[in-house]
């Protein structure tokens, strides 16, 4: 089957893994990566697939309606996998409006353009929206987020993602636009921008810099290897039910402090440091405001309906991830030069 798929945010962390999977697995599909190349977008993430004849790149901001319309006319997409977003909670606390623009208005802009271009003839069309477990809020010591859990976002980031999810479902209910939404837990893996906990800790650990742990370090996240998220998106895109929601998670909860200690142990082994040497870098810093205590996804539905489950253990995935960062020092150097230094100082030296 031939398909033309727009993947938005394809130059980012998860988007680049989704683009790579689709471009290499489906040579008959035309894959168009639509990305504004913000600080988080990096075409270096896609060097190994950019020469494929079924891969196209369009530098477009999803807020730019005219550019989007021209792109729809040029490429005639029948499906969209929408990942473009502002994705970092700490940045959303500093600049909430950036999140409203891209995550809310950008998503509605894309929905409108798709609806208009497909001219209400939705047969064979799909708008797949990639979202997050953060929309569900925070859990106590027990329980899980299911597809039925009520939305209760706490950060400007999660509020903007919740809003975009509501708009996507509203376009389904109001205009019958064929949509699917998935809500995934924390991803980790190669190409992760070093503003998030795992890549920031790997980068700092390699460079013997302090490892900042927020608050008491007992906050819990459910970690999933990014390639497993990409596999889940592939399955949902092809076999998911239109109008449905799928939760995706790692069945893999870690308290931040335990995770950082494991990371230190793996780096010590790989760099032949004395056992315990990297752990000395752990530094407790001022907490994130509105910090959600625990996330944990119940991924039973995608497991039962589509047969998906994570393919690697956390230790394997984390070890592969650290190896990737040790082997891709140029990538790390490029993304941590310039504005990253300013960001880091603002976030951490004043904490
Ligand atoms: P990322 O920040 O690494 O990448 C975002 C990409 O979107 C970048 O390439 C950026 O250039 C692009 N972009 C941003 N604003 C844009 C705009 N206005 N127009 C066009 N492109 C724009 O993000 P990520 O971590 O890869 O997350 C991708 C998606 O998955 C997001 O929607 C996020 O909410 C969701 N998600 C992320 C995680 C996670 O753990 N990282 C977990 C669940 C869901
Ligand atoms: O749950 C899915 C979400 O996971 C995605 O939707 C977001 O896009 C993604 O950024 C991620 O959000 P988190 O806020 O959970 O990820 P982050 O890596 O920023 O933080 C993970 C945990 O580590 C969180 O409890 C805060 C803590 N932390 C984070 C940083 C950056 C620290 O203790 N120190 C740090 O320096």
């Amino acid at each position: 089957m031939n398909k033309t798929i727009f993947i938005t945010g394809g130059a980012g962390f998860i988007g680049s893994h989704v683009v790579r999977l689709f471009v290499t697995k489906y040579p008959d599909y035309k894959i168009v990566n639509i990305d504004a190349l913000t600080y988080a977008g990096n075409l270096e993430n896609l060097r190994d697939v950019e020469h494929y004849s079924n891969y196209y790149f369009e530098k477009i901001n999803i807020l730019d309606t005219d550019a989007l319309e021209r792109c729809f006319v040029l490429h005639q997409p029948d499906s969209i996998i929408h990942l473009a977003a502002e994705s970092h909670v700490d940045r959303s606390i500093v600049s909430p409006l950036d999140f409203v623009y891209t995550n809310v208005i950008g998503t509605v802009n894309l929905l409108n353009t798709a609806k208009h271009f497909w001219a209400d003839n939705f047969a064979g069309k799909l708008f797949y929206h990639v979202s997050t477990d953060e929309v569900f809020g925070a859990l106590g010591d027990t329980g899980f987020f299911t597809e039925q859990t009520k939305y209760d976002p706490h950060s400007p980031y999660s509020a903007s993602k919740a809003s975009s999810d509501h708009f996507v479902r509203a376009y389904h209910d109001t205009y019958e636009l064929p949509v699917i939404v998935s809500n995934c837990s924390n991803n980790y893996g190669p190409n992760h921008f070093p503003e998030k906990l795992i890549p920031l800790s790997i980068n700092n650990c390699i460079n013997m810099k302090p490892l900042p742990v927020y608050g008491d370090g007992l906050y819990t996240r459910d970690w999933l290897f990014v390639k497993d998220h990409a596999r889940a998106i592939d399955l949902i895109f092809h076999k998911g039910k239109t109008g449905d929601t799928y939760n995706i998670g790692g069945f893999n909860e870690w308290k931040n402090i335990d995770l950082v200690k494991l990371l230190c142990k793996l780096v010590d082994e790989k760099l032949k440091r004395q056992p315990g040497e990297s752990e000395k870098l752990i530094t407790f810093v001022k907490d994130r405001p509105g910090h959600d205590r625990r996330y944990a996804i119940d991924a039973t539905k995608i497991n039962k309906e589509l047969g998906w489950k994570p393919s690697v253990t956390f230790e394997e995935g984390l070890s592969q991830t650290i190896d990737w960062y040790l082997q891709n020092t140029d990538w790390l150097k490029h993304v941590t030069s310039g504005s990253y230094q300013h960001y880091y100082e603002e976030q951490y030296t004043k904490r």
Side-chain angles (χ1 to χ4, degrees), residues 131-140 142-149 151 181-187 220-224 229 232 245-254 294-303 308 310:
S131 193
T132 170
D133 62 357
E134 299 206 10
V135 297
F136 299 123
L139 293 163
T142 56
F144 295 91
F145 299 135
T146 72
E147 285 80 1
Q148 280 72 47
T149 302
Y151 278 28
V181 178
S182 59
N183 297 84
C184 187
S185 65
N186 284 63
N187 285 217
T220 300
R221 296 291 182 267
D222 170 4
W223 293 95
L224 177 67
H229 188 189
T245 292
Y246 294 86
N247 277 4
I248 309 168
F251 302 101
N252 179 42
E253 290 182 50
W254 284 79
R294 174 173 165 258
Y295 302 145
I297 280 274
D298 178 350
T300 306
K301 175 175 171 177
I302 183 172
N303 176 253
W308 175 89

Side-chain angles (χ1 to χ4, degrees), residues 87 132-134 157 186 197 212 214 221 256 288 291 348:
S87 68
T132 170
D133 62 357
E134 299 206 10
Y157 163 69
N186 284 63
L197 177 67
Y214 295 169
R221 296 291 182 267
N256 293 339
R288 170 187 281 175
H291 199 169
Y348 293 99

Side-chain angles (χ1 to χ4, degrees), residues 16-40:
S16 61
H17 287 276
V18 176
V19 166
R20 177 175 300 98
L21 179 65
F22 275 69
V23 165
T24 54
K25 186 170 172 186
Y26 302 108
D28 293 342
Y29 291 4
K30 176 173 161 185
I31 304 299
V32 185
N33 172 13
I34 293 182
D35 199 297
L37 299 183
T38 68
Y39 79 93

Side-chain angles (χ1 to χ4, degrees), residues 229-290:
H229 188 189
R231 283 177 44 243
I233 289 174
D234 178 17
L235 261 182
I236 293 168
F237 176 82
H238 287 98
K239 301 205 170 125
K241 222 187 287 158
T242 303
D244 258 20
T245 292
Y246 294 86
N247 277 4
I248 309 168
F251 302 101
N252 179 42
E253 290 182 50
W254 284 79
K255 290 193 170 48
N256 293 339
I257 187 65
D258 296 334
L259 185 163
V260 175
K261 283 183 178 167
L262 171 64
L263 191 150
C264 289
K265 180 176 154 279
L266 290 171
V267 172
D268 283 348
E269 284 164 14
K270 288 175 195 291
L271 295 183
K272 312 231 175 311
R273 289 181 184 161
Q274 291 296 319
E277 199 178 338
S278 298
E279 254 192 55
K280 291 186 202 144
L281 299 167
I282 292 176
T283 311
F284 288 93
V285 298
K286 191 165 164 253
D287 210 347
R288 170 187 281 175

